Amino acid sequence: MTGDRQPGRPRSEAVRQAILAAAADELTEKGYAALTVEGIAARAGAGKQTIYRWWPSKADVVLDALLEAAASRISIPDNGTLRADLTAFLAATFRQRSQRPILVGLMAEALLDPVFAQQFRDRFLFGRRAALRGILDRAAQRGEISADVRIELLIDVVYGVLWYRLLLDHAPLSEAAGRELAALVVRAAGQQVS
Amino acid sequence: MTGDRQPGRPRSEAVRQAILAAAADELTEKGYAALTVEGIAARAGAGKQTIYRWWPSKADVVLDALLEAAASRISIPDNGTLRADLTAFLAATFRQRSQRPILVGLMAEALLDPVFAQQFRDRFLFGRRAALRGILDRAAQRGEISADVRIELLIDVVYGVLWYRLLLDHAPLSEAAGRELAALVVRAAGQQVS
Amino acid sequence: MTGDRQPGRPRSEAVRQAILAAAADELTEKGYAALTVEGIAARAGAGKQTIYRWWPSKADVVLDALLEAAASRISIPDNGTLRADLTAFLAATFRQRSQRPILVGLMAEALLDPVFAQQFRDRFLFGRRAALRGILDRAAQRGEISADVRIELLIDVVYGVLWYRLLLDHAPLSEAAGRELAALVVRAAGQQVS
Amino acid sequence: MTGDRQPGRPRSEAVRQAILAAAADELTEKGYAALTVEGIAARAGAGKQTIYRWWPSKADVVLDALLEAAASRISIPDNGTLRADLTAFLAATFRQRSQRPILVGLMAEALLDPVFAQQFRDRFLFGRRAALRGILDRAAQRGEISADVRIELLIDVVYGVLWYRLLLDHAPLSEAAGRELAALVVRAAGQQVS
DNA sequence: ACATAATCGAGACGGTACGTCTGGTCTTTAC
DNA sequence: GTAAAGACCAGACGTACCGTCTCGATTATGT
């Protein structure tokens, strides 16, 4: 009746965390582009093989590190109006500016590697979309969103602008920018005049 | 009007084009991630040094190849209404789907290399923004855009959605999608009800 | 008697020998000047890194290959007279004419690279001198060498003539030449008339 | 009757000397191994083509530079005895120790390149041999050299020891060493006891 | 004067090998 | 079986020179 265990030495949780921590440290120190499996292993005091055994690529390690750190999730606000909710959501999102290099690095990786791209979508991006979808769904129930506007498109608009600015870095991701974007989405979602 | 030439053998235009063509070929055959300077040189029948002499990185070669090919620019439509212009513009943009791997590769590079990022912005992205801005400016003169909506934000919305889908590949970039996006932008740009 | 081994995969003896063999083959096929680390690695089916890990330069690889092959050492003859010993020694030395390109190549390298020069002296040339010194020491004990002739100078004479001809290639290194040189050394070593 | 000149711009003597001087300078500064045609051309303010037009390799440039400098030849002494002449000759030779790196470099080149080797022999080494042969021939006429000793072998002994030490650098090339070598050659050349 | 012809500086060009770096895999011993 | 260590094959990196080539400019000879 004992919980069936497979034979052999069990995976070390300590090692796993050491690797994730090492990845995070290397990242903040040198940036994503200079990240190497070799470097992570060396800093973690781990063998390269140990990393390859559990993660298919360095991007997956970083993704795990990101998800590990993202325990402090963005809370989904509920202020009664779409504009207020959106503004709060964007402000909370923009506040995590320290994650920018990580997000940008992972996106670069996803662009170059379709296999990782799916991981990134499924384990990270879709989660964020779901949070936003919650806000918009509630707004729709309140009648704040016109029937002929697909909510998925609104999500694309919000995250599209967000990522586009994250990548291009041509415009600020300030709280004011959040307010402006929220206003635009509200306007786009609302009823047409005639 | 002085005809002063610098001394030494002049740069060979034939070689330049051979390299750009080779880069384009390698790209379509193997994809951006598998692109190497070595491979481009070999296919172009050129020395590696010749590439490094004129381009700081493989990304710059690809960018030049892209710009060279983009002689057949997207024409800026003028149909009298914002919705029609936008729909035509997006349709024309989406039609160049063969460029997707190139664009995605270059964006990945820009994310990893800030120096190249500036090149990419200045020589490519800003050019595309300018085209779109032309359409929106005309609409503004016609009074189709509310005074409290910044045109730059509308550009971010259009290209944000476009790039977000290009990168994520979670939604189609079809003509129907173009129509839907155009409608949304028109709605967001238009006069508020009350 | 402790069986302590250092951790990690041990160096592969098979690979070491494959590299030395490949070096020897490339050498006889193309000559020392055309020898490249790249070529050796390719022929040995080894990575370049593996060569650089264990040898500082291609010359050191060749030197090792030479020493490996020189297991069949020149035996030190003992025929009772200096003239007979010297003649036999030189004949044995000259017989290894196939080594000429190797020796010449290594000497060229030693001339251009002081670091390798020391290796070459210590691991090869001094060994040969020692062999000859054995012969001359025995002759000295027999009283065949005048007290006012330094044995080291005699060694320089023998190997000086040998190398000078090896390098210049202006006179044969035949058995007859060996006899003539032996005779001259005996004469130089012998007692003065008055 | 004018010395027929071919048409076209004549070779510039100034450039020729600038190149030889540049080669000599680079040599003393960086050593033979680090010498490059590119470096010589740059320092001389000359084009690479100009060098390749007149010299087949960098070694030939250096050889010309050496011969140019060797206008101050070693005078052939005539003191009446072989021992005195040889001692003086060797002392004069050893005194030019500054030439060591050049000689060693050229010898290395000759070892690696048979075509240059012939140049080096014919234009330099054989000249030196001839000087020594003059001394030995005179000694032979005076009866100082036994009939059964070939003069060419004696030359090999002298230059053999000289080059061997030049290359190996294991023993000094001092005036004392010259006296010792001269004594040995005299002894070897002289009449046998019995 | 003006063509002809060879030289010169400059530097681009196709190549080749360099020595380094990283990626993934494999082979040890220790636990 | 997992882990650290580190050797191994593979192959691209960016650099350095090679020897050749194409420019414009220069400097002579032969009309």
Side-chain angles (χ1 to χ4, degrees):
Chain A
M1 289 307 111
T2 55
D4 30 6
R5 287 273 228 99
Q6 50 252 47
R9 179 173 173 175
R11 178 174 183 185
S12 158
E13 174 62 18
V15 166
R16 184 180 152 273
Q17 295 202 337
I19 289 170
L20 293 182
D25 291 356
E26 288 277 294
L27 214 101
T28 51
E29 270 182 31
K30 310 184 191 168
Y32 188 86
L35 208 63
T36 67
V37 171
E38 216 133 75
I40 296 171
R43 185 188 275 253
K48 284 203 293 174
Q49 189 64 260
T50 303
I51 295 182
Y52 283 114
R53 199 176 348 252
W54 302 110
W55 293 275
S57 78
K58 68 169 183 175
D60 295 82
V61 180
V62 175
L63 178 54
D64 265 19
L66 175 65
L67 294 175
E68 196 89 338
S72 59
R73 305 304 296 264
I74 295 172
S75 58
I76 302 164
D78 189 352
N79 301 310
T81 70
L82 175 55
R83 178 189 292 255
D85 281 0
L86 262 183
T87 306
F89 179 81
L90 288 171
T93 302
F94 291 171
R95 227 170 280 130
Q96 300 184 304
R97 66 186 65 234
S98 69
Q99 289 188 341
R100 185 182 181 277
I102 303 168
L103 294 176
V104 160
L106 289 178
M107 181 59 92
E109 198 71 41
L111 294 180
L112 296 172
D113 176 2
V115 174
F116 174 70
Q118 192 181 334
Q119 291 287 316
F120 190 46
R121 269 202 303 271
D122 295 350
R123 300 184 55 201
F124 182 77
L125 295 174
F126 284 171
R128 301 274 163 139
R129 286 179 73 89
L132 179 55
R133 191 177 298 114
I135 292 173
L136 292 167
D137 279 345
R138 261 189 283 112
Q141 286 171 349
R142 282 188 238 109
E144 290 187 271
I145 296 179
S146 163
D148 53 348
V149 173
R150 285 196 310 114
I151 283 183
E152 291 304 307
L153 177 57
L154 291 180
I155 298 175
D156 282 3
V157 167
V158 171
Y159 274 120
V161 170
L162 210 147
W163 273 104
Y164 185 62
R165 291 195 178 166
L166 210 52
L167 305 185
L168 267 285
D169 208 16
H170 69 297
L173 284 174
S174 62
E175 212 174 305
R179 272 196 301 274
E180 189 188 17
L181 177 55
L184 182 125
V185 169
V186 168
R187 186 196 287 257
Q191 302 299 331
Q192 195 72 6
V193 190
S194 59
Chain B
M1 292 304 117
T2 54
D4 25 18
R5 285 273 229 104
Q6 51 255 40
R9 179 176 175 173
R11 176 174 184 184
S12 160
E13 174 61 19
V15 166
R16 185 182 149 271
Q17 295 200 339
I19 288 169
L20 294 183
D25 291 356
E26 289 275 296
L27 212 95
T28 51
E29 269 182 31
K30 310 185 191 171
Y32 187 87
L35 206 64
T36 66
V37 172
E38 213 135 87
I40 297 171
R43 184 187 275 253
K48 284 202 290 176
Q49 190 67 251
T50 302
I51 296 182
Y52 284 112
R53 200 177 349 251
W54 303 111
W55 293 277
S57 76
K58 68 170 183 174
D60 295 82
V61 179
V62 175
L63 177 54
D64 266 19
L66 174 65
L67 294 175
E68 195 89 338
S72 59
R73 304 304 296 264
I74 295 171
S75 60
I76 301 165
D78 190 351
N79 300 311
T81 69
L82 175 55
R83 178 189 292 257
D85 280 2
L86 262 183
T87 306
F89 180 80
L90 288 171
T93 301
F94 292 170
R95 225 171 284 128
Q96 300 186 305
R97 66 186 65 236
S98 69
Q99 289 187 342
R100 185 181 180 278
I102 303 170
L103 294 176
V104 161
L106 289 178
M107 181 58 91
E109 199 69 42
L111 295 181
L112 296 172
D113 176 1
V115 174
F116 174 70
Q118 191 180 335
Q119 292 286 316
F120 190 46
R121 269 202 302 270
D122 295 350
R123 300 185 53 202
F124 181 75
L125 296 175
F126 284 170
R128 301 276 162 137
R129 287 179 72 90
L132 180 53
R133 191 177 297 115
I135 292 173
L136 292 168
D137 280 344
R138 261 188 284 111
Q141 287 171 349
R142 282 188 238 107
E144 290 187 89
I145 295 179
S146 163
D148 54 347
V149 173
R150 286 196 310 115
I151 284 183
E152 293 303 308
L153 176 59
L154 292 180
I155 298 176
D156 282 2
V157 167
V158 171
Y159 274 121
V161 170
L162 209 148
W163 273 103
Y164 185 62
R165 292 193 178 169
L166 211 52
L167 305 185
L168 267 285
D169 210 14
H170 68 298
L173 286 173
S174 62
E175 211 173 308
R179 271 195 303 275
E180 189 189 14
L181 178 54
L184 182 124
V185 169
V186 168
R187 186 196 287 256
Q191 302 299 331
Q192 196 72 6
V193 189
S194 57
Chain C
M1 290 307 114
T2 56
D4 30 15
R5 285 275 228 103
Q6 53 254 42
R9 179 175 177 175
R11 176 173 183 183
S12 160
E13 175 62 19
V15 166
R16 185 182 150 270
Q17 295 199 337
I19 289 169
L20 294 182
D25 290 356
E26 289 276 295
L27 211 95
T28 51
E29 269 183 32
K30 310 184 190 169
Y32 187 87
L35 206 63
T36 66
V37 171
E38 214 134 86
I40 296 171
R43 184 187 276 253
K48 285 203 290 175
Q49 190 66 253
T50 302
I51 295 182
Y52 284 112
R53 196 175 356 247
W54 303 111
W55 293 277
S57 78
K58 69 170 183 174
D60 295 82
V61 180
V62 175
L63 177 53
D64 264 18
L66 175 64
L67 294 175
E68 196 90 336
S72 58
R73 305 303 298 262
I74 295 173
S75 58
I76 302 164
D78 189 352
N79 300 311
T81 71
L82 175 55
R83 178 189 292 256
D85 280 2
L86 262 183
T87 306
F89 180 81
L90 287 170
T93 302
F94 290 171
R95 225 170 283 130
Q96 299 186 303
R97 67 186 64 237
S98 70
Q99 288 187 342
R100 184 182 181 278
I102 303 170
L103 294 176
V104 161
L106 289 178
M107 181 59 92
E109 199 70 42
L111 295 180
L112 295 172
D113 176 1
V115 174
F116 174 70
Q118 192 181 333
Q119 292 286 316
F120 191 45
R121 269 201 303 270
D122 295 351
R123 300 185 53 201
F124 181 76
L125 296 175
F126 284 171
R128 301 273 163 138
R129 287 179 72 91
L132 180 54
R133 191 177 297 116
I135 292 174
L136 291 167
D137 279 345
R138 260 187 284 111
Q141 286 171 347
R142 281 188 238 107
E144 292 187 89
I145 296 179
S146 164
D148 54 347
V149 174
R150 285 195 311 115
I151 283 183
E152 293 304 308
L153 177 58
L154 291 179
I155 297 175
D156 282 3
V157 167
V158 171
Y159 274 120
V161 171
L162 209 148
W163 273 103
Y164 186 62
R165 291 194 179 167
L166 209 53
L167 305 184
L168 266 285
D169 210 15
H170 69 297
L173 284 174
S174 62
E175 212 174 307
R179 273 196 302 274
E180 189 189 15
L181 178 55
L184 182 125
V185 169
V186 168
R187 187 196 286 257
Q191 303 298 332
Q192 196 73 7
V193 190
S194 57
Chain D
M1 291 306 111
T2 55
D4 30 9
R5 290 275 227 97
Q6 51 256 45
R9 180 175 177 175
R11 175 173 184 185
S12 159
E13 174 62 18
V15 166
R16 184 181 151 272
Q17 295 202 337
I19 289 170
L20 293 183
D25 291 356
E26 289 276 296
L27 213 101
T28 52
E29 269 183 31
K30 310 184 191 170
Y32 187 87
L35 208 62
T36 67
V37 172
E38 215 133 79
I40 297 171
R43 184 189 275 252
K48 284 202 294 175
Q49 188 66 260
T50 303
I51 295 181
Y52 283 112
R53 195 171 0 244
W54 304 111
W55 292 276
S57 78
K58 69 169 184 176
D60 295 83
V61 180
V62 175
L63 178 54
D64 265 19
L66 175 65
L67 294 174
E68 196 90 338
S72 59
R73 303 305 295 264
I74 295 172
S75 59
I76 301 165
D78 190 351
N79 299 310
T81 70
L82 175 55
R83 178 189 292 255
D85 280 2
L86 262 183
T87 305
F89 179 82
L90 287 171
T93 301
F94 291 170
R95 226 169 283 129
Q96 301 185 302
R97 66 187 65 233
S98 69
Q99 287 187 342
R100 185 182 180 277
I102 303 167
L103 294 177
V104 160
L106 289 178
M107 181 59 91
E109 199 71 41
L111 294 181
L112 295 173
D113 176 1
V115 174
F116 174 70
Q118 192 181 333
Q119 292 285 317
F120 190 46
R121 270 202 301 270
D122 295 351
R123 299 184 55 200
F124 182 76
L125 295 175
F126 285 170
R128 301 274 162 136
R129 287 178 72 90
L132 180 54
R133 190 178 297 112
I135 291 173
L136 292 168
D137 279 345
R138 261 188 283 111
Q141 286 171 350
R142 282 188 237 109
E144 290 187 271
I145 295 179
S146 165
D148 53 348
V149 173
R150 286 195 310 115
I151 283 183
E152 292 304 309
L153 177 58
L154 291 179
I155 297 176
D156 283 2
V157 166
V158 171
Y159 273 120
V161 170
L162 209 147
W163 273 103
Y164 186 62
R165 291 192 179 169
L166 211 53
L167 306 185
L168 267 285
D169 209 16
H170 68 299
L173 285 174
S174 62
E175 212 174 306
R179 272 197 301 274
E180 188 189 16
L181 178 55
L184 182 125
V185 170
V186 168
R187 187 196 286 256
Q191 303 299 331
Q192 196 72 6
V193 190
S194 58

